Amino acid sequence: MYLRVAHAEANIALLQEFIKQNPLGILTTAIKSAVHPFIQSSHIPFILDVPELNDTNRNSTDDGLEIYGTLRGHMAKQNPQAKVLMETLAATQNEHGDDTIRELPDEVLILFNGPHHHYVTPKFYVETKPTTGKVVPTWNYSAVQAYGKIKVYCDSKSQETSSFIQSQIEALSRQAETSIMGYTGAERPKAWEVSDAPNSYVDLLKKNIIGIEIQIHRLEGKFKMSQEMGKKDREGVIQGFNNLDSDVGRDIAKMVKERGDMKDAQK
């Protein structure tokens, strides 16, 4: 990720919360295969487990790599990307003579995008445009990139795989039903649960998916919200987006103000 100082976000807790609020990640792998593409991507909703061992939300592996959380998801076995992951896992297990290995050797990337993004017209810059004209169009957006090595759970006959997938789909359903849909019970509708579906049906579906797990050892965030501009130009951007009279416009305007205020507070 290209990170200008003005746009970079290093607060790990904030980046973790960003992922939880925007759980649909784009998993990208670059793995050599004789029959499948080298670079592949899939949209996957993730659960983020955050370590709670210290105030910085960090942990570390035995080799000293810091861990900023663990992502859990699942993929259809028919997905070509899943096929490459399973193919590589089998090759890795054969190479080491150990069928308990789950982790692949290469790093993967998961991209999480913010809910709103928008084109920024130079007409919004009320100070620089009329003074010098030295402005060009751009795009405002927010994103977080997570990096780590991936573990694959794909043996449908294994209790370890079954337990991992069951736990993951239950946690994912619970997160989506409560945090996204607001189905919390009481005055709200009761959340749908995996146990509401027939066990035989769930077991059949579980045999056709693989579980994936990534320990995050690098986490980068970018909030490109016009904070590099001067205060009057930012005010013009805020007004311009509010004048769009749309949910996206109002959300972008709010983030431009928040990021601009943060920039001013750091001076």
Side-chain angles (χ1 to χ4, degrees), residues 119-137:
Y119 170 80
V120 184
T121 172
K123 292 184 178 182
F124 286 173
Y125 302 134
V126 296
E127 180 178 44
T128 305
K129 181 181 180 296
T131 303
T132 68
K134 294 181 179 180
V135 290
V136 293

Side-chain angles (χ1 to χ4, degrees), residues 35-209:
V35 294
H36 297 290
F38 174 57
I39 298 176
Q40 297 195 70
S41 293
S42 297
H43 286 76
I44 299 172
F46 282 96
I47 285 290
L48 173 64
D49 299 318
V50 175
E52 299 178 354
L53 300 182
N54 52 52
D55 294 335
T56 60
N57 284 331
R58 300 183 181 186
N59 201 344
S60 61
T61 61
D62 293 338
D63 54 9
L65 289 176
E66 289 188 273
I67 300 172
Y68 302 98
T70 301
L71 293 167
R72 293 184 288 141
H74 66 270
M75 306 171 65
K77 285 185 176 179
Q78 293 305 309
N79 184 329
Q81 190 175 24
K83 291 181 178 181
V84 169
L85 293 175
M86 291 187 288
E87 173 187 289
T88 306
L89 177 63
T92 302
Q93 291 175 338
N94 289 336
E95 179 183 351
H96 294 275
D98 185 354
D99 60 6
T100 66
I101 292 176
R102 297 286 174 267
E103 187 174 271
L104 304 189
D106 295 319
E107 183 180 68
V108 302
L109 159 68
I110 308 94
L111 169 64
F112 299 90
N113 288 308
H116 299 302
H117 57 89
H118 207 286
Y119 170 80
V120 184
T121 172
K123 292 184 178 182
F124 286 173
Y125 302 134
V126 296
E127 180 178 44
T128 305
K129 181 181 180 296
T131 303
T132 68
K134 294 181 179 180
V135 290
V136 293
T138 189
W139 208 282
N140 278 0
Y141 64 92
S142 56
V144 169
Q145 290 185 349
Y147 301 82
K149 291 186 177 181
I150 189 169
K151 292 182 179 179
V152 180
Y153 298 84
C154 59
D155 182 359
S156 59
K157 297 179 181 180
S158 163
Q159 182 59 46
E160 179 187 26
T161 294
S162 179
S163 297
F164 177 89
I165 292 177
Q166 185 71 29
S167 174
Q168 193 276 326
I169 60 177
E170 287 179 353
L172 181 62
S173 298
R174 185 164 52 250
Q175 171 181 276
E177 289 286 312
T178 58
S179 299
I180 298 176
M181 298 304 299
Y183 295 156
T184 54
E187 297 180 357
R188 298 282 295 169
K190 179 178 179 293
W192 179 89
E193 299 179 356
V194 175
S195 59
D196 291 341
N199 289 338
S200 58
Y201 178 69
V202 174
D203 289 341
L204 178 63
L205 293 180
K206 285 167 58 178
K207 292 178 180 179
N208 289 285
I209 62 177

